[in-house]
């Protein structure tokens, strides 16, 4: 199962898994973009399920449809997320905007992980894997990104707690922290992004396919092995050290 599968990283990961022979439930808020993802893999074994991960009823329906179609859930890539309004100072960020980012990035990840737990504990054979999409913002913030950064830091705690609680049930939980994969969300970075010193500077990006291959590697490990945290980033982006 891949959430946010209609575009960007979610689409790239879903296509990589489908081409590798996985059956994939594609979840997202727009069915037409999910169907666009499915169309990239001829004869791919996929279903598209309209899902707003911040809504408990939608998540329940997603898992019910997936289990009905595929009988089990072996992998959840918890990918759906939003950056929120960019460039807004803390003191000017509307509460509704803060709440939307928290509901999508954190509450949505929790709801999907909770549903995955329930299924993975009961299926036979028992167990499965959850991979949360963190961000390098789970380590270091960008300027004026308080909601996104707070949720990504929280996602790291969620990953650790889920990983610990999953041990008795054969549920492996890890996180991939991604920096500047080339998607629609990061397109502006190539022309100029706000830096910590107040300057606007272009930033390098990397092929999103490299992220997808990393997720696939994490997904295809035996459940006795787990990549707890992986960081994949454009080699020369301003992150390590002072730039």
């Amino acid at each position: 199962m891949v959430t946010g599968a209609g575009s960007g990283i979610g689409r790239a990961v879903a296509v990589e898994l489908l081409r590798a022979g996985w059956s994939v439930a594609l979840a997202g808020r727009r069915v037409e973009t999910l169907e666009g993802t499915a169309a990239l893999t001829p004869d791919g074994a996929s279903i598209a399920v309209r899902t707003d991960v911040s809504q408990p009823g939608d998540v329940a329906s997603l898992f019910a449809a997936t289990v009905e179609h595929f009988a089990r859930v072996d992998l959840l890539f918890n990918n759906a997320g939003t950056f929120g309004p960019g460039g807004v100072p803390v003191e000017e960020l509307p509460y509704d905007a803060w709440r939307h980012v928290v509901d999508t990035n954190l509450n949505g990840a929790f709801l999907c992980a909770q549903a995955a737990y329930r299924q993975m504990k009961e299926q036979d054979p028992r167990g499965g894997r959850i991979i949360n999409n963190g961000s390098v913002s789970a380590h270091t913030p960008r300027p004026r990104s308080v909601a996104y950064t707070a949720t990504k830091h929280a996602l790291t705690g969620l990953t650790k707690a889920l990983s610990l609680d999953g041990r008795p049930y054969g549920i492996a939980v890890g996180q991939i922290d991604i920096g500047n994969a080339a998607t629609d969300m990061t397109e502006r970075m190539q022309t100029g992004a706000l830096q910590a010193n107040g300057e606007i500077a272009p930033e390098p990006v990397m092929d999103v396919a490299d992220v997808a291959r990393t997720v696939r590697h994490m997904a295809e490990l035996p459940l006795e092995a787990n990549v707890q945290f992986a960081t994949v980033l454009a080699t020369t982006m301003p992150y390590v050290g002072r730039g």
Side-chain angles (χ1 to χ4, degrees):
M1 180 184 296
V2 177
T3 66
S7 62
I9 291 169
R11 169 172 283 185
V13 169
V15 168
E16 178 74 17
L17 292 172
L18 284 163
R19 288 174 176 168
W22 288 71
S23 300
V24 182
L26 308 169
R29 288 183 294 178
R30 293 181 294 165
V31 172
E32 61 272 20
T33 61
L34 299 177
E35 291 174 344
T37 298
L40 295 174
T41 55
D43 302 321
S46 64
I47 59 169
V49 184
R50 198 213 69 81
T51 309
D52 180 343
V53 296
S54 70
Q55 300 300 313
D58 279 16
V59 173
S61 296
L62 166 64
F63 276 81
T66 301
V67 173
E68 180 180 2
H69 196 84
F70 297 124
R72 58 184 291 114
V73 176
D74 292 301
L75 171 69
L76 164 65
F77 181 44
N78 237 341
N79 167 72
T82 182
F83 191 83
V88 179
V90 174
E91 67 274 19
E92 297 177 13
L93 183 69
Y95 177 71
D96 287 348
W98 164 273
R99 183 62 183 268
H100 176 65
V101 176
V102 172
D103 281 344
T104 304
N105 295 3
L106 181 57
N107 295 342
F110 164 73
L111 289 170
C112 290
Q114 183 182 56
Y117 254 67
R118 289 169 175 161
Q119 173 60 32
M120 290 172 180
K121 283 178 63 176
E122 299 301 325
Q123 61 194 13
D124 185 20
R126 188 167 68 174
R129 188 180 304 275
I130 299 170
I131 301 173
N132 292 324
N133 183 351
S135 169
V136 295
S137 290
H139 305 269
T140 303
R142 288 185 174 278
R144 298 184 174 182
S145 64
V146 64
Y148 185 79
T149 298
T151 57
K152 293 304 185 177
H153 274 66
L155 199 63
T156 297
L158 179 69
T159 297
K160 291 178 179 179
L162 291 171
S163 182
L164 180 61
D165 292 345
R167 288 177 180 177
Y169 311 109
I171 300 173
V173 185
Q175 181 171 314
I176 183 168
D177 295 325
I178 302 163
N180 288 13
T183 67
D184 290 343
M185 180 181 279
T186 61
E187 187 174 2
R188 62 181 176 81
M189 294 179 183
Q190 298 177 67
T191 57
L194 180 64
Q195 304 298 307
N197 64 359
E199 294 181 357
I200 303 295
E203 295 188 13
V205 297
M206 62 176 169
D207 192 332
V208 70
D210 294 322
V211 175
R213 284 192 291 270
T214 304
V215 173
R216 177 185 166 192
H217 168 69
M218 296 169 70
E220 292 185 341
L221 289 172
L223 292 178
E224 293 76 20
N226 187 41
V227 175
Q228 188 67 68
F229 292 97
T231 302
V232 184
L233 71 165
T235 304
T236 58
M237 70 174 285
Y239 170 66
V240 178
R242 296 177 181 265

